Amino acid sequence: MPRKPCVYALLQLLQEYVYSQTRPEKLSDAHLPHFPCVLRIFSYSVWVAKALPLVDIVGVGLNATDTIIRLPHFPAFNSKVEFRFSEVLPGGQVASAVTACARWGLKARYAGKIGDDPWGKLQQEEMKRSGVEAHWSVVHNCQSQSSFILVDEQTGERTVLWKRDARLELLPREIRKEWVVRSRLLHVDGHDCRAAATAARWARQAKIPVTVDLDNLYPGVEVLLEHVDYAITSRDFPGRLFGDADLFASLPKLAARFGNRLAAATLGEDGVLAWDGSKFHYCPAFDVKPVDTTGAGDIFHGAFAYGIVRGFQLPELLAFCCAAAGLSCLGAGARGGIAPLKKIEQFVRKGARRPRAFTEDQLAEAGRRAR
């Protein structure tokens, strides 16, 4: 019985070593707990994990492998169309946003779930190639999430057909608190709300800002929203949540109900509308001829996270996001159009804008009503 605490101490040391995925540092036995049996068993120097490195952004959420199918035009019902070509590319909301941040020079971490198939291997290889510290939960005998994306060459617009095995749900027990709190910003989506809400709660407790990408009313999304600082949604999400399609009414409701610092909706070719608690901010989209709109929203979210970490002011930040999203439409797939920072910055200064969806007077009047 007197030796029992020693066993627990050894198990704890072994567990820390096994679960660590970082380079260890040498620690002499003088640093071990002062249990006699430990010193007898480890009379030599041992290795334990270093503290997890601090990163700029951590993403917890979706990855997907997209088969992009380029069509001369979208097919009519009960017809045949010869496609131009197809290619398999990595995608997924959070995974693509984090990858963009890494390419722009941020230190990035990602936690997600894959199957033990070639598509899962592709996700692992792409994260490694982009310099992202990735932590994977792997489901055996399971297909990774995949999509077939039909891209109309005439407009660049896409239609997504997707499949996700229920076993790919990322669970709270599969993420570790240190992955989250050893970061400067957390980015999540709503696909696995329980895990996302757990990570967001840890981040909030550590005073780390949380951004979220929401496009649907997923189970548990309201719990997640309670732990979010920057809620950036699709155009339709606030209306689905509150039964009011008027963004001038539903965005302030979203921020007030959940205590979000900012509530915003991306509007596609109309840009973005945001409510900061006192006024509306609007940025029109940039005028581009899209090749493929796949992943434009993901890159917008990556750009937003980048700007928060870098300390951008809101008007500057929204313009940067719209520019990054617009340029992303000039490449294939979710990540093929991630532009270099210098190109985005130049586009912000010189790029042509699409017509405004709202005038300054409309924004001011809507702000007065919302207050």
Side-chain angles (χ1 to χ4, degrees):
M1 289 301 294
R3 293 175 178 262
K4 201 168 186 180
C6 302
V7 174
Y8 289 159
L10 292 175
L11 289 174
Q12 183 177 5
L13 287 169
L14 290 171
Q15 184 182 50
E16 289 174 356
Y17 177 82
V18 169
Y19 278 103
S20 169
Q21 298 188 41
T22 61
R23 186 178 178 180
E25 65 180 341
K26 196 171 184 180
L27 189 69
S28 70
D29 54 19
H31 292 86
L32 292 171
H34 295 293
F35 298 122
C37 72
V38 175
L39 296 178
R40 281 200 297 271
I41 294 173
F42 294 121
S43 58
Y44 47 85
S45 297
V46 299
W47 295 79
V48 299
K50 285 196 304 186
L52 198 66
L54 179 69
V55 296
D56 296 306
I57 178 173
V58 58
V60 175
L62 191 69
N63 66 82
T65 301
D66 302 330
T67 301
I68 308 295
I69 304 172
R70 297 188 63 79
L71 304 170
H73 59 82
F74 196 80
F77 179 71
N78 198 28
S79 67
K80 295 182 180 180
V81 176
E82 181 181 3
F83 62 86
R84 302 290 195 202
F85 67 90
S86 65
E87 56 185 332
V88 178
L89 298 169
Q93 286 170 255
V94 169
S96 295
V98 168
T99 298
C101 287
R103 293 190 189 177
W104 296 329
L106 296 188
K107 295 178 181 178
R109 177 180 296 134
Y110 171 76
K113 203 163 184 177
I114 51 176
D116 59 347
D117 60 352
W119 289 341
K121 184 68 174 176
L122 173 65
Q123 291 291 339
Q124 292 175 309
E125 291 171 350
E126 285 298 312
M127 284 295 185
K128 184 176 181 180
R129 187 173 67 86
S130 297
V132 177
E133 175 199 315
H135 301 270
W136 301 100
S137 296
V138 181
V139 184
H140 297 293
N141 298 317
C142 178
Q143 178 180 307
S144 301
Q145 178 160 339
S146 60
S147 304
F148 291 87
I149 302 179
L150 311 180
V151 179
D152 184 341
E153 281 193 338
Q154 294 181 359
T155 64
E157 295 295 334
R158 84 283 189 266
T159 300
V160 181
L161 314 174
W162 63 275
K163 175 66 176 177
R164 190 186 198 213
D165 192 301
R167 292 174 294 167
L168 290 172
E169 179 187 358
L170 186 65
L171 302 174
R173 67 172 180 267
E174 293 171 324
I175 56 176
R176 294 174 60 188
K177 187 174 183 178
E178 56 263 42
W179 296 345
V180 175
V181 300
R182 294 289 296 167
S183 73
R184 297 174 61 196
L185 181 142
L186 168 68
H187 179 54
V188 297
D189 59 41
H191 284 267
D192 300 320
C193 278
R194 288 191 296 164
T198 297
R201 186 174 63 252
W202 289 336
R204 270 289 190 82
Q205 290 169 351
K207 302 188 184 307
I208 294 167
V210 180
T211 62
V212 69
D213 177 358
L214 294 174
D215 58 5
N216 213 337
L217 294 180
Y218 302 99
V221 72
E222 294 182 50
V223 175
L224 169 59
L225 278 165
E226 292 174 355
H227 305 290
V228 166
D229 296 286
Y230 302 96
I232 305 177
T233 76
S234 63
R235 184 196 299 260
D236 297 333
F237 178 87
R240 293 174 187 169
L241 186 61
F242 295 108
D244 189 343
D246 182 3
L247 290 172
F248 287 135
S250 57
L251 286 177
K253 287 179 183 177
L254 180 64
R257 177 171 172 181
F258 298 105
N260 310 129
R261 188 181 306 179
L262 183 84
T266 55
L267 310 176
E269 63 181 14
D270 288 328
V272 60
L273 179 67
W275 170 254
D276 68 0
S278 62
K279 64 180 291 188
F280 281 101
H281 300 260
Y282 171 69
C283 182
F286 286 83
D287 193 10
V288 299
K289 182 173 176 53
V291 172
D292 182 357
T293 60
T294 302
D298 307 339
I299 305 310
F300 183 101
H301 284 268
F304 190 90
Y306 176 89
I308 292 296
V309 171
R310 292 299 191 214
F312 289 10
Q313 295 301 306
L314 188 56
E316 174 192 13
L317 175 53
L318 296 180
F320 179 80
C321 294
C322 287
L327 288 171
S328 77
C329 297
L330 302 181
R335 305 178 195 174
I338 299 174
L341 282 177
K342 287 185 177 180
K343 187 172 183 179
I344 298 172
E345 292 163 356
Q346 183 180 37
F347 200 51
V348 169
R349 294 192 302 269
K350 300 181 179 180
R353 304 292 187 103
R354 291 186 56 79
R356 293 177 64 94
F358 310 106
T359 66
E360 290 296 339
D361 288 344
Q362 286 177 307
L363 297 173
E365 177 57 30
R368 283 191 292 270
R369 292 198 307 269
R371 289 192 296 270

